[in-house]
Short mmCIF file of all heavy atoms in Angstrom, two decimals:
data_model
loop_
_atom_site.label_atom_id
_atom_site.label_comp_id
_atom_site.label_asym_id
_atom_site.label_seq_id
_atom_site.Cartn_x
_atom_site.Cartn_y
_atom_site.Cartn_z
N MET E 1 -41.65 -66.82 -37.17
CA MET E 1 -41.14 -65.62 -37.86
C MET E 1 -42.30 -64.87 -38.50
O MET E 1 -43.21 -65.39 -39.00
CB MET E 1 -40.18 -66.19 -39.01
CG MET E 1 -39.54 -64.99 -39.75
SD MET E 1 -37.82 -65.27 -40.31
CE MET E 1 -38.13 -66.29 -41.77
N THR E 2 -42.21 -63.56 -38.29
CA THR E 2 -43.33 -62.76 -38.87
C THR E 2 -42.77 -61.91 -40.01
O THR E 2 -41.55 -61.59 -40.24
CB THR E 2 -43.75 -61.79 -37.87
OG1 THR E 2 -42.59 -60.88 -37.47
CG2 THR E 2 -44.32 -62.42 -36.63
N ALA E 3 -43.66 -61.58 -40.99
CA ALA E 3 -43.26 -60.79 -42.17
C ALA E 3 -43.37 -59.27 -41.84
O ALA E 3 -44.20 -58.94 -40.96
CB ALA E 3 -44.37 -61.01 -43.31
N THR E 4 -42.42 -58.53 -42.35
CA THR E 4 -42.45 -57.10 -42.00
C THR E 4 -43.42 -56.39 -42.86
O THR E 4 -43.80 -57.03 -43.90
CB THR E 4 -40.97 -56.56 -42.19
OG1 THR E 4 -40.55 -56.91 -43.57
CG2 THR E 4 -39.89 -57.21 -41.34
N ALA E 5 -43.79 -55.21 -42.48
CA ALA E 5 -44.70 -54.45 -43.34
C ALA E 5 -44.12 -54.24 -44.70
O ALA E 5 -42.95 -53.73 -44.79
CB ALA E 5 -45.03 -53.15 -42.57
N GLY E 6 -44.85 -54.46 -45.65
CA GLY E 6 -44.43 -54.21 -47.07
C GLY E 6 -43.66 -55.40 -47.76
O GLY E 6 -43.37 -55.44 -48.87
N ALA E 7 -43.28 -56.36 -46.96
CA ALA E 7 -42.57 -57.54 -47.50
C ALA E 7 -43.55 -58.54 -47.97
O ALA E 7 -44.46 -58.94 -47.27
CB ALA E 7 -41.73 -58.16 -46.32
N PRO E 8 -43.45 -58.94 -49.22
CA PRO E 8 -44.39 -59.83 -49.82
C PRO E 8 -44.30 -61.27 -49.15
O PRO E 8 -43.22 -61.69 -48.87
CB PRO E 8 -44.10 -59.90 -51.27
CG PRO E 8 -42.65 -59.50 -51.31
CD PRO E 8 -42.43 -58.56 -50.20
N ASP E 9 -45.40 -62.05 -48.90
CA ASP E 9 -45.31 -63.25 -48.44
C ASP E 9 -45.89 -64.26 -49.45
O ASP E 9 -46.29 -63.83 -50.53
CB ASP E 9 -46.00 -63.49 -47.07
CG ASP E 9 -47.52 -63.21 -47.18
OD1 ASP E 9 -48.05 -62.90 -48.26
OD2 ASP E 9 -48.16 -63.21 -46.14
N ASP E 10 -45.82 -65.52 -49.27
CA ASP E 10 -46.32 -66.48 -50.11
C ASP E 10 -47.76 -66.29 -50.62
O ASP E 10 -48.04 -66.43 -51.71
CB ASP E 10 -46.08 -67.95 -49.70
CG ASP E 10 -44.67 -68.32 -49.52
OD1 ASP E 10 -43.83 -67.72 -50.26
OD2 ASP E 10 -44.32 -69.27 -48.79
N ALA E 11 -48.68 -65.98 -49.77
CA ALA E 11 -50.12 -65.74 -50.05
C ALA E 11 -50.20 -64.46 -50.93
O ALA E 11 -51.05 -64.57 -51.85
CB ALA E 11 -50.79 -65.46 -48.83
N ASP E 12 -49.40 -63.49 -50.68
CA ASP E 12 -49.45 -62.26 -51.60
C ASP E 12 -48.81 -62.64 -53.02
O ASP E 12 -49.51 -62.21 -54.06
CB ASP E 12 -48.67 -61.15 -51.12
CG ASP E 12 -49.51 -60.46 -49.86
OD1 ASP E 12 -50.65 -60.68 -49.78
OD2 ASP E 12 -48.76 -59.60 -49.33
N GLU E 13 -47.93 -63.47 -53.10
CA GLU E 13 -47.26 -63.81 -54.45
C GLU E 13 -48.26 -64.67 -55.07
O GLU E 13 -48.34 -64.54 -56.43
CB GLU E 13 -45.86 -64.55 -54.17
CG GLU E 13 -44.82 -63.62 -53.70
CD GLU E 13 -44.59 -62.58 -54.76
OE1 GLU E 13 -44.56 -62.69 -55.95
OE2 GLU E 13 -44.45 -61.36 -54.27
N GLU E 14 -48.99 -65.59 -54.43
CA GLU E 14 -50.01 -66.36 -55.16
C GLU E 14 -51.09 -65.67 -55.63
O GLU E 14 -51.53 -65.77 -56.85
CB GLU E 14 -50.54 -67.45 -54.15
CG GLU E 14 -51.69 -68.34 -54.72
CD GLU E 14 -51.26 -69.24 -55.80
OE1 GLU E 14 -50.01 -69.51 -55.94
OE2 GLU E 14 -52.19 -69.62 -56.51
N LEU E 15 -51.58 -64.68 -54.84
CA LEU E 15 -52.61 -63.69 -55.21
C LEU E 15 -52.21 -62.95 -56.44
O LEU E 15 -52.95 -62.74 -57.43
CB LEU E 15 -53.05 -62.97 -54.16
CG LEU E 15 -54.17 -61.86 -54.34
CD1 LEU E 15 -55.40 -62.55 -54.92
CD2 LEU E 15 -54.47 -61.02 -53.17
N ARG E 16 -50.98 -62.35 -56.42
CA ARG E 16 -50.43 -61.58 -57.51
C ARG E 16 -50.40 -62.35 -58.78
O ARG E 16 -50.91 -61.84 -59.84
CB ARG E 16 -49.06 -61.11 -57.18
CG ARG E 16 -48.32 -60.35 -58.28
CD ARG E 16 -47.04 -59.95 -57.91
NE ARG E 16 -46.90 -58.96 -56.91
CZ ARG E 16 -47.16 -57.58 -57.14
NH1 ARG E 16 -47.29 -57.15 -58.36
NH2 ARG E 16 -47.14 -56.78 -56.12
N TYR E 17 -50.00 -63.69 -58.80
CA TYR E 17 -49.94 -64.44 -59.91
C TYR E 17 -51.25 -64.74 -60.47
O TYR E 17 -51.60 -64.65 -61.65
CB TYR E 17 -49.23 -65.88 -59.55
CG TYR E 17 -49.43 -66.82 -60.69
CD1 TYR E 17 -48.41 -66.81 -61.65
CD2 TYR E 17 -50.37 -67.82 -60.73
CE1 TYR E 17 -48.45 -67.68 -62.77
CE2 TYR E 17 -50.42 -68.78 -61.71
CZ TYR E 17 -49.38 -68.73 -62.77
OH TYR E 17 -49.54 -69.56 -63.79
N ARG E 18 -52.31 -65.04 -59.55
CA ARG E 18 -53.72 -65.22 -60.07
C ARG E 18 -54.33 -64.02 -60.65
O ARG E 18 -55.02 -64.14 -61.69
CB ARG E 18 -54.56 -65.83 -58.97
CG ARG E 18 -54.07 -67.12 -58.39
CD ARG E 18 -54.87 -67.64 -57.22
NE ARG E 18 -56.31 -67.89 -57.63
CZ ARG E 18 -57.37 -67.47 -56.95
NH1 ARG E 18 -57.25 -66.94 -55.83
NH2 ARG E 18 -58.65 -67.60 -57.45
N LEU E 19 -54.05 -62.95 -59.98
CA LEU E 19 -54.64 -61.60 -60.58
C LEU E 19 -54.06 -61.34 -61.93
O LEU E 19 -54.81 -61.05 -62.84
CB LEU E 19 -54.31 -60.50 -59.66
CG LEU E 19 -55.08 -60.44 -58.37
CD1 LEU E 19 -54.48 -59.46 -57.44
CD2 LEU E 19 -56.56 -60.28 -58.53
N VAL E 20 -52.71 -61.45 -62.10
CA VAL E 20 -52.05 -61.11 -63.39
C VAL E 20 -52.58 -62.17 -64.50
O VAL E 20 -52.84 -61.74 -65.55
CB VAL E 20 -50.59 -61.12 -63.26
CG1 VAL E 20 -49.87 -60.94 -64.53
CG2 VAL E 20 -50.15 -59.87 -62.32
N ALA E 21 -52.68 -63.28 -64.06
CA ALA E 21 -53.05 -64.39 -65.07
C ALA E 21 -54.48 -64.15 -65.54
O ALA E 21 -54.86 -64.16 -66.75
CB ALA E 21 -52.96 -65.82 -64.46
N ALA E 22 -55.41 -63.75 -64.57
CA ALA E 22 -56.78 -63.42 -64.98
C ALA E 22 -56.89 -62.23 -65.77
O ALA E 22 -57.63 -62.11 -66.76
CB ALA E 22 -57.64 -63.21 -63.70
N LEU E 23 -56.10 -61.12 -65.50
CA LEU E 23 -56.02 -59.94 -66.25
C LEU E 23 -55.59 -60.20 -67.79
O LEU E 23 -56.13 -59.73 -68.73
CB LEU E 23 -55.32 -58.86 -65.68
CG LEU E 23 -55.89 -58.18 -64.45
CD1 LEU E 23 -54.96 -57.46 -63.55
CD2 LEU E 23 -57.06 -57.25 -64.85
N GLU E 24 -54.59 -61.05 -67.85
CA GLU E 24 -54.01 -61.42 -69.17
C GLU E 24 -55.09 -62.13 -69.98
O GLU E 24 -55.27 -61.83 -71.09
CB GLU E 24 -52.77 -62.17 -69.06
CG GLU E 24 -51.56 -61.44 -68.58
CD GLU E 24 -50.34 -62.20 -68.40
OE1 GLU E 24 -50.42 -63.48 -68.34
OE2 GLU E 24 -49.23 -61.67 -68.20
N LYS E 25 -55.75 -63.11 -69.27
CA LYS E 25 -56.72 -63.92 -69.95
C LYS E 25 -57.92 -63.09 -70.38
O LYS E 25 -58.60 -63.30 -71.48
CB LYS E 25 -57.26 -65.04 -69.06
CG LYS E 25 -58.00 -66.16 -69.75
CD LYS E 25 -58.31 -67.31 -68.73
CE LYS E 25 -59.10 -68.40 -69.47
NZ LYS E 25 -59.24 -69.53 -68.67
N SER E 26 -58.33 -62.11 -69.62
CA SER E 26 -59.51 -61.17 -69.95
C SER E 26 -59.06 -60.00 -70.84
O SER E 26 -59.87 -59.15 -71.08
CB SER E 26 -60.12 -60.68 -68.58
OG SER E 26 -59.15 -59.65 -68.05
N GLY E 27 -57.90 -59.95 -71.25
CA GLY E 27 -57.43 -58.78 -72.12
C GLY E 27 -57.36 -57.51 -71.32
O GLY E 27 -57.48 -56.51 -71.92
N GLY E 28 -57.18 -57.62 -70.06
CA GLY E 28 -57.13 -56.27 -69.28
C GLY E 28 -58.48 -55.88 -68.78
O GLY E 28 -58.58 -54.71 -68.19
N VAL E 29 -59.50 -56.56 -69.03
CA VAL E 29 -60.90 -56.10 -68.69
C VAL E 29 -61.09 -56.52 -67.27
O VAL E 29 -61.16 -57.76 -66.97
CB VAL E 29 -61.92 -56.73 -69.67
CG1 VAL E 29 -63.31 -56.28 -69.17
CG2 VAL E 29 -61.76 -56.29 -71.10
N LYS E 30 -61.12 -55.61 -66.34
CA LYS E 30 -61.16 -55.85 -64.90
C LYS E 30 -62.39 -56.58 -64.51
O LYS E 30 -62.36 -57.47 -63.68
CB LYS E 30 -60.95 -54.64 -64.12
CG LYS E 30 -59.57 -54.05 -64.29
CD LYS E 30 -59.52 -52.69 -63.46
CE LYS E 30 -58.36 -51.91 -63.90
NZ LYS E 30 -58.42 -50.54 -63.58
N ALA E 31 -63.51 -56.23 -65.02
CA ALA E 31 -64.85 -56.89 -64.65
C ALA E 31 -64.78 -58.31 -65.01
O ALA E 31 -65.20 -59.22 -64.34
CB ALA E 31 -65.95 -56.20 -65.23
N LYS E 32 -64.22 -58.72 -66.27
CA LYS E 32 -64.15 -59.94 -66.73
C LYS E 32 -63.23 -60.81 -65.97
O LYS E 32 -63.37 -61.97 -65.61
CB LYS E 32 -63.78 -59.99 -68.15
CG LYS E 32 -63.98 -61.37 -68.90
CD LYS E 32 -63.67 -61.21 -70.41
CE LYS E 32 -63.87 -62.49 -71.01
NZ LYS E 32 -63.66 -62.29 -72.63
N ALA E 33 -62.07 -60.17 -65.51
CA ALA E 33 -61.03 -60.83 -64.66
C ALA E 33 -61.69 -61.14 -63.42
O ALA E 33 -61.36 -62.25 -62.83
CB ALA E 33 -59.86 -59.93 -64.51
N ALA E 34 -62.41 -60.29 -62.77
CA ALA E 34 -63.18 -60.59 -61.47
C ALA E 34 -64.07 -61.78 -61.67
O ALA E 34 -64.07 -62.59 -60.77
CB ALA E 34 -63.89 -59.45 -61.05
N ARG E 35 -64.79 -61.89 -62.77
CA ARG E 35 -65.66 -63.09 -62.90
C ARG E 35 -64.85 -64.35 -63.00
O ARG E 35 -65.24 -65.35 -62.62
CB ARG E 35 -66.50 -62.89 -64.24
CG ARG E 35 -67.70 -61.94 -64.06
CD ARG E 35 -68.61 -62.05 -65.02
NE ARG E 35 -68.14 -61.66 -66.42
CZ ARG E 35 -67.98 -60.41 -66.90
NH1 ARG E 35 -68.54 -59.33 -66.21
NH2 ARG E 35 -67.61 -60.27 -68.10
N LEU E 36 -63.73 -64.22 -63.71
CA LEU E 36 -62.91 -65.40 -63.79
C LEU E 36 -62.35 -65.97 -62.43
O LEU E 36 -62.10 -67.07 -62.23
CB LEU E 36 -61.64 -65.11 -64.69
CG LEU E 36 -61.90 -64.92 -66.23
CD1 LEU E 36 -60.67 -64.54 -66.99
CD2 LEU E 36 -62.40 -66.39 -66.80
N LEU E 37 -62.08 -64.98 -61.54
CA LEU E 37 -61.64 -65.26 -60.23
C LEU E 37 -62.72 -65.50 -59.28
O LEU E 37 -62.52 -65.85 -58.04
CB LEU E 37 -60.87 -64.18 -59.71
CG LEU E 37 -59.50 -63.94 -60.52
CD1 LEU E 37 -58.73 -62.53 -60.10
CD2 LEU E 37 -58.50 -64.92 -60.26
N HIS E 38 -63.99 -65.47 -59.72
CA HIS E 38 -65.16 -65.54 -58.78
C HIS E 38 -65.15 -64.63 -57.57
O HIS E 38 -65.38 -65.04 -56.48
CB HIS E 38 -65.30 -67.05 -58.30
CG HIS E 38 -65.23 -68.13 -59.33
ND1 HIS E 38 -66.49 -68.33 -60.24
CD2 HIS E 38 -64.35 -68.90 -59.94
CE1 HIS E 38 -66.22 -69.10 -61.12
NE2 HIS E 38 -64.93 -69.57 -61.00
N ILE E 39 -64.77 -63.42 -57.92
CA ILE E 39 -64.88 -62.34 -56.91
C ILE E 39 -65.55 -61.20 -57.63
O ILE E 39 -65.80 -61.05 -58.72
CB ILE E 39 -63.42 -61.95 -56.47
CG1 ILE E 39 -62.58 -61.40 -57.66
CG2 ILE E 39 -62.78 -63.02 -55.74
CD1 ILE E 39 -61.20 -60.79 -57.20
N THR E 40 -65.94 -60.20 -56.70
CA THR E 40 -66.59 -58.94 -57.21
C THR E 40 -65.48 -58.03 -57.78
O THR E 40 -64.41 -58.04 -57.47
CB THR E 40 -67.38 -58.16 -56.05
OG1 THR E 40 -66.45 -57.81 -55.16
CG2 THR E 40 -68.39 -59.20 -55.41
N PRO E 41 -65.87 -57.17 -58.78
CA PRO E 41 -65.01 -56.09 -59.19
C PRO E 41 -64.31 -55.34 -57.98
O PRO E 41 -63.19 -54.88 -58.10
CB PRO E 41 -65.81 -55.30 -60.10
CG PRO E 41 -66.91 -56.22 -60.62
CD PRO E 41 -67.12 -57.06 -59.58
N ARG E 42 -65.10 -54.89 -57.04
CA ARG E 42 -64.66 -54.21 -55.95
C ARG E 42 -63.55 -55.01 -55.24
O ARG E 42 -62.57 -54.35 -54.82
CB ARG E 42 -65.87 -53.88 -55.02
CG ARG E 42 -65.43 -53.01 -53.88
CD ARG E 42 -66.61 -52.69 -53.04
NE ARG E 42 -66.24 -51.50 -52.20
CZ ARG E 42 -67.11 -50.53 -51.80
NH1 ARG E 42 -68.28 -50.69 -52.20
NH2 ARG E 42 -66.68 -49.60 -51.00
N GLN E 43 -63.68 -56.27 -55.10
CA GLN E 43 -62.65 -57.05 -54.45
C GLN E 43 -61.41 -56.99 -55.25
O GLN E 43 -60.24 -57.01 -54.81
CB GLN E 43 -63.12 -58.51 -54.19
CG GLN E 43 -64.11 -58.58 -53.07
CD GLN E 43 -64.67 -59.99 -53.08
OE1 GLN E 43 -65.21 -60.55 -54.06
NE2 GLN E 43 -64.81 -60.53 -51.83
N LEU E 44 -61.65 -57.12 -56.56
CA LEU E 44 -60.41 -57.04 -57.52
C LEU E 44 -59.73 -55.79 -57.39
O LEU E 44 -58.43 -55.78 -57.30
CB LEU E 44 -60.96 -57.30 -58.96
CG LEU E 44 -59.83 -57.27 -60.02
CD1 LEU E 44 -58.86 -58.39 -59.95
CD2 LEU E 44 -60.44 -57.18 -61.47
N TYR E 45 -60.55 -54.59 -57.42
CA TYR E 45 -59.75 -53.36 -57.31
C TYR E 45 -59.05 -53.21 -56.10
O TYR E 45 -57.94 -52.61 -56.01
CB TYR E 45 -60.86 -52.19 -57.49
CG TYR E 45 -61.52 -52.14 -58.81
CD1 TYR E 45 -62.93 -51.95 -58.86
CD2 TYR E 45 -60.92 -52.24 -60.03
CE1 TYR E 45 -63.56 -51.84 -60.06
CE2 TYR E 45 -61.57 -52.25 -61.29
CZ TYR E 45 -62.82 -52.01 -61.27
OH TYR E 45 -63.62 -51.92 -62.34
N TYR E 46 -59.59 -53.69 -54.92
CA TYR E 46 -58.86 -53.60 -53.65
C TYR E 46 -57.67 -54.37 -53.74
O TYR E 46 -56.56 -53.90 -53.28
CB TYR E 46 -59.73 -54.17 -52.55
CG TYR E 46 -59.04 -54.22 -51.22
CD1 TYR E 46 -58.83 -52.93 -50.55
CD2 TYR E 46 -58.68 -55.38 -50.78
CE1 TYR E 46 -58.21 -53.03 -49.22
CE2 TYR E 46 -57.99 -55.34 -49.43
CZ TYR E 46 -57.75 -54.21 -48.77
OH TYR E 46 -57.08 -54.25 -47.61
N ALA E 47 -57.65 -55.60 -54.33
CA ALA E 47 -56.49 -56.46 -54.34
C ALA E 47 -55.35 -55.82 -55.26
O ALA E 47 -54.17 -55.84 -54.85
CB ALA E 47 -56.87 -57.98 -54.87
N LEU E 48 -55.73 -55.28 -56.30
CA LEU E 48 -54.83 -54.54 -57.22
C LEU E 48 -54.14 -53.41 -56.58
O LEU E 48 -52.96 -53.29 -56.57
CB LEU E 48 -55.50 -54.17 -58.43
CG LEU E 48 -56.07 -55.24 -59.45
CD1 LEU E 48 -56.90 -54.57 -60.61
CD2 LEU E 48 -54.95 -56.06 -59.95
N LYS E 49 -54.94 -52.69 -55.82
CA LYS E 49 -54.31 -51.55 -55.10
C LYS E 49 -53.46 -51.97 -53.97
O LYS E 49 -52.30 -51.48 -53.75
CB LYS E 49 -55.48 -50.68 -54.45
CG LYS E 49 -55.04 -49.36 -53.87
CD LYS E 49 -56.16 -48.52 -53.40
CE LYS E 49 -55.64 -47.22 -52.75
NZ LYS E 49 -56.76 -46.43 -52.37
N LYS E 50 -53.87 -53.13 -53.21
CA LYS E 50 -53.06 -53.63 -52.16
C LYS E 50 -51.70 -54.08 -52.67
O LYS E 50 -50.66 -53.89 -51.95
CB LYS E 50 -53.74 -54.69 -51.40
CG LYS E 50 -53.08 -55.47 -50.34
CD LYS E 50 -53.84 -56.58 -49.89
CE LYS E 50 -52.94 -57.41 -48.96
NZ LYS E 50 -53.52 -58.75 -48.64
N LEU E 51 -51.67 -54.79 -53.80
CA LEU E 51 -50.46 -55.40 -54.28
C LEU E 51 -49.73 -54.41 -55.28
O LEU E 51 -48.73 -54.87 -55.82
CB LEU E 51 -50.70 -56.74 -54.97
CG LEU E 51 -51.28 -57.75 -54.01
CD1 LEU E 51 -51.65 -58.89 -54.82
CD2 LEU E 51 -50.38 -58.10 -52.96
N HIS E 52 -50.19 -53.31 -55.48
CA HIS E 52 -49.60 -52.26 -56.34
C HIS E 52 -49.35 -52.79 -57.71
O HIS E 52 -48.31 -52.74 -58.35
CB HIS E 52 -48.17 -51.78 -55.79
CG HIS E 52 -48.29 -51.29 -54.41
ND1 HIS E 52 -48.81 -50.06 -54.09
CD2 HIS E 52 -47.85 -51.95 -53.27
CE1 HIS E 52 -48.76 -49.85 -52.74
NE2 HIS E 52 -48.15 -51.01 -52.23
N ILE E 53 -50.56 -53.37 -58.20
CA ILE E 53 -50.55 -53.79 -59.62
C ILE E 53 -51.30 -52.77 -60.50
O ILE E 53 -52.34 -52.45 -60.24
CB ILE E 53 -51.25 -55.20 -59.73
CG1 ILE E 53 -50.51 -56.20 -58.94
CG2 ILE E 53 -51.34 -55.61 -61.16
CD1 ILE E 53 -51.20 -57.52 -58.78
N GLU E 54 -50.52 -52.23 -61.58
CA GLU E 54 -51.10 -51.29 -62.40
C GLU E 54 -51.56 -51.92 -63.67
O GLU E 54 -50.85 -52.67 -64.30
CB GLU E 54 -50.14 -50.21 -62.65
CG GLU E 54 -50.65 -49.05 -63.46
CD GLU E 54 -49.58 -47.91 -63.66
OE1 GLU E 54 -48.73 -47.78 -62.68
OE2 GLU E 54 -49.57 -47.21 -64.66
N VAL E 55 -52.89 -51.71 -64.01
CA VAL E 55 -53.30 -52.22 -65.37
C VAL E 55 -53.34 -51.10 -66.34
O VAL E 55 -53.95 -50.02 -66.19
CB VAL E 55 -54.79 -52.81 -65.15
CG1 VAL E 55 -55.35 -53.35 -66.43
CG2 VAL E 55 -54.74 -53.80 -64.09
N LYS E 56 -52.50 -51.35 -67.45
CA LYS E 56 -52.39 -50.31 -68.42
C LYS E 56 -53.37 -50.64 -69.62
O LYS E 56 -53.60 -51.80 -69.89
CB LYS E 56 -51.03 -50.36 -68.97
CG LYS E 56 -50.14 -49.89 -67.91
CD LYS E 56 -48.67 -49.68 -68.43
CE LYS E 56 -47.87 -49.19 -67.31
NZ LYS E 56 -46.48 -48.86 -67.71
N LYS E 57 -53.85 -49.70 -70.18
CA LYS E 57 -54.85 -49.87 -71.37
C LYS E 57 -54.01 -49.63 -72.53
O LYS E 57 -53.24 -48.87 -72.70
CB LYS E 57 -55.98 -48.78 -71.31
CG LYS E 57 -56.76 -48.83 -69.99
CD LYS E 57 -58.16 -48.62 -70.20
CE LYS E 57 -58.83 -48.74 -68.94
NZ LYS E 57 -60.20 -49.00 -69.03
N PHE E 58 -54.35 -50.52 -73.53
CA PHE E 58 -53.67 -50.52 -74.80
C PHE E 58 -54.60 -50.00 -75.95
O PHE E 58 -55.77 -50.09 -75.92
CB PHE E 58 -53.14 -51.89 -75.22
CG PHE E 58 -52.17 -52.33 -74.17
CD1 PHE E 58 -52.59 -53.36 -73.18
CD2 PHE E 58 -50.89 -51.93 -74.24
CE1 PHE E 58 -51.60 -53.75 -72.27
CE2 PHE E 58 -49.94 -52.39 -73.34
CZ PHE E 58 -50.26 -53.24 -72.38
#
C-alpha cells in the first residue's frame, strides 16, 4: 500500500513529534532545537516547511 501525496505517514508523524518536542524544550529557538536534534538549522527549517509547522514568537 502506498501513501498518497499529502497524506502523513508514520515517519512524518514521528518527525513532527520530535520537532515539536525540541522546539518546546528550546523555548521556540530554532537553532537550539536543531542542536537538540543533532541536525543543522537548515535541515530543521526544511523539515518545518515540509511538515507545515509554524513557529510563533511570543
